Amino acid sequence: MIETIPQVGFGLWKVPGEDCERVVLEAIRAGYRHFDCAADYGNEQAVGAAFAKAFADGLVRREDLWITSKLWNTFHAPEHVELACRKSLSDLQCDYLDLYLVHFPIALAFVPIETRYPPEWLHDPDAAEPRMKPARVPLHRTWAAMEDLRHAGLTRQIGVCNYNTGLLHDLMRYAEIAPSVLQIEAHPYLTQEKLVRLAGDYGLHVTAFSPLGALSYVELDMAGAGDSVLTEPVVTAAAQAHGKTPAQVVLRWAIQRGTSIIPKTTKPERMRENLAIEDFALSEEEMAAISALDADRRFNDPGVFTEAAFNTFHPIYD
């Protein structure tokens, strides 16, 4: 049984369902043991099929994996939290999760699983003017239902994603079971030093999603080709000095500052490359130079994409 979250996990966001089973099996063969899933990714059934095959073929046992999933926005009401968790468990063909996270601090109106799954952001995509539909569900009620999942043994740990410092302070005032993990966007262009430090002070481990920055967002028109941290001189210089790729340097920077990471790729050679970051260390000067690239550049910002894609202005960061 894995007791602590692995430093390097495998992200399943934007992995197509038809390719997902192959990709997950390749990742397991490459050595990944943490898989970061979510209902909203729309591929948990394919991921579950890969897990089932891996178990049946003796590649790994369930206890060899750390499996994370996330509560989607439309299931925040207490009576829907267990429903959502059990749906993910069924799709992933698992009896329990290692970690279940609140995906966003955004409560949306419930959409029954039979109506549309995953529900995504729009309440009624067929409406004349489709929009998000907020729900009157405070986060403390959602968290209490997450704690119930722990009590029921459906997940070993619970946590949150995309919280800011204010929400984290608030959560720690009412939580009876403290969150164990905070998952946030973090990379050299968005170091989030204060939030990472605060999480550490509260005893939360931080997982960084999009650890390579813009790469996941160019195809979504949420970043430009010129936004890549991999071409920064301090990164390429460190790569040359250590005989590593720029991507390996950026991933090493992330784990060396104490966060775990969940890079995503569908290419086996990149899977192996992303794991091969334990045999070198960046100097204090290199770490500081890469951290100095911070520009508060957030690529995954609901305050931007919800208005552009879903006709609803819904910021969660100032």
Side-chain angles (χ1 to χ4, degrees), residues 18-35:
E18 64 273 12
D19 206 26
C20 206
E21 184 173 342
R22 175 194 65 81
V23 168
V24 171
L25 288 169
E26 290 279 8
I28 289 173
R29 294 189 185 100
Y32 288 87
R33 295 297 179 262
H34 173 203
F35 289 87

Side-chain angles (χ1 to χ4, degrees), residues 247-297:
Q248 287 173 315
V249 166
V250 172
L251 296 179
R252 178 68 203 183
W253 168 85
I255 66 168
Q256 206 165 308
R257 72 194 290 248
T259 65
S260 59
I261 51 177
I262 44 174
K264 164 255 174 182
T265 180
T266 59
K267 300 177 180 179
E269 63 273 18
R270 288 280 186 264
M271 294 178 191
R272 293 188 291 272
E273 177 185 314
N274 291 344
L275 279 176
I277 57 174
E278 298 287 350
D279 58 348
F280 75 107
L282 299 172
S283 68
E284 290 185 10
E285 293 75 16
E286 289 169 329
M287 288 291 294
I290 295 172
S291 295
L293 296 173
D294 182 39
D296 199 30
R297 177 68 167 94

Side-chain angles (χ1 to χ4, degrees), residues 37-95:
C37 312
D40 188 55
Y41 300 165
N43 55 17
E44 287 194 324
Q45 286 188 347
V47 175
F51 289 159
K53 182 170 176 53
F55 301 153
D57 291 351
L59 292 177
V60 287
R61 302 166 301 169
R62 169 64 185 93
E63 56 265 35
D64 298 326
L65 298 183
W66 179 290
I67 301 174
T68 296
S69 188
K70 306 180 188 75
L71 177 78
W72 185 240
N73 305 338
T74 55
F75 299 106
H76 273 218
E79 64 269 24
H80 299 141
V81 171
E82 183 174 331
L83 173 73
C85 183
R86 287 190 180 277
K87 171 61 174 168
S88 284
L89 285 171
S90 175
D91 286 349
L92 293 168
Q93 301 191 41
C94 294
D95 295 329

